[in-house]
Amino acid sequence: MKIIVLGASGLIGSALVQALSPKHEIVRAGRNGDVRVDYTNGQSVKKMFEQVGGFDALAVAVGEDSIFKGYEDLTVEDFEYGFHRKFLAQIGLVRTGTSYARDNASFTLSSGFLSDYPNYASAATGPINAAVDAFGRTVGPLLPRGIRLNVVSPGPVSPAPAVSPEQARRGVVTAEQAAAGYVDSIEGTMNGEVLRIWGGLENKPRP
């Protein structure tokens, strides 16, 4: 398969490229890589798809897409930052990319752990993660030509497995564990699913 990986140079993106490379053709997209793109800019995204042509999967593993501050310190602009970068930008990738995707292709977006387990600095992040999850569940079944859409929700990423009770409580995972969720979405048949890649004691969503 020809697979576009956005954020291929990041922690999760690098692990994902390593996991997929032996069997697939990887197109690294982002500020650096095979194709340069500003994924928050619609014209830049369209240019990327035109350059890549038909593809079989797209996975979004970008970072630095939301603001972490205490609730009292947040501004409306801080909420807008995450809304545009993490929510609208990922929607845009699906909406524009559907026209270029081959039959039975897939999109895998990213949300995160903080929608279910908030902390003091997650007020501008958790709600956006939840919105991405809802988008995947709602829109996946509506896409044409057998195209699939899933969301990976990783826990906090650490270079090594959780070794302390605190790390376990926080659901820490390695980049390789997180990347495995994207591989499952790409190589599997699931559609409209949220894959929670959470380690330790908090491996289930809150009731």
Side-chain angles (χ1 to χ4, degrees), residues 60-77:
V60 184
V62 299
E64 300 179 1
D65 51 10
S66 55
I67 300 295
F68 294 91
K69 291 181 183 177
Y71 177 75
E72 296 81 2
D73 298 322
L74 287 167
T75 65
V76 171
E77 289 75 19

Side-chain angles (χ1 to χ4, degrees), residues 3 7 10 23 38-39 55 73 107 109 146 154-155 165 175 186-188 190 205:
I3 301 171
K23 296 192 291 183
D38 175 358
Y39 75 102
F55 67 94
D73 298 322
F107 293 89
L109 308 183
I186 292 166
E187 296 184 342
M190 65 192 72

Side-chain angles (χ1 to χ4, degrees), residues 44-91:
S44 181
V45 166
K46 183 176 181 181
K47 183 178 178 181
M48 174 192 74
F49 285 122
E50 290 174 345
Q51 183 175 345
V52 172
F55 67 94
D56 300 291
L58 180 144
V60 184
V62 299
E64 300 179 1
D65 51 10
S66 55
I67 300 295
F68 294 91
K69 291 181 183 177
Y71 177 75
E72 296 81 2
D73 298 322
L74 287 167
T75 65
V76 171
E77 289 75 19
D78 291 331
F79 284 93
E80 289 176 342
Y81 181 87
F83 181 72
H84 285 286
R85 294 186 69 85
K86 191 158 195 176
F87 186 62
L88 289 182
Q90 292 197 91
I91 289 176

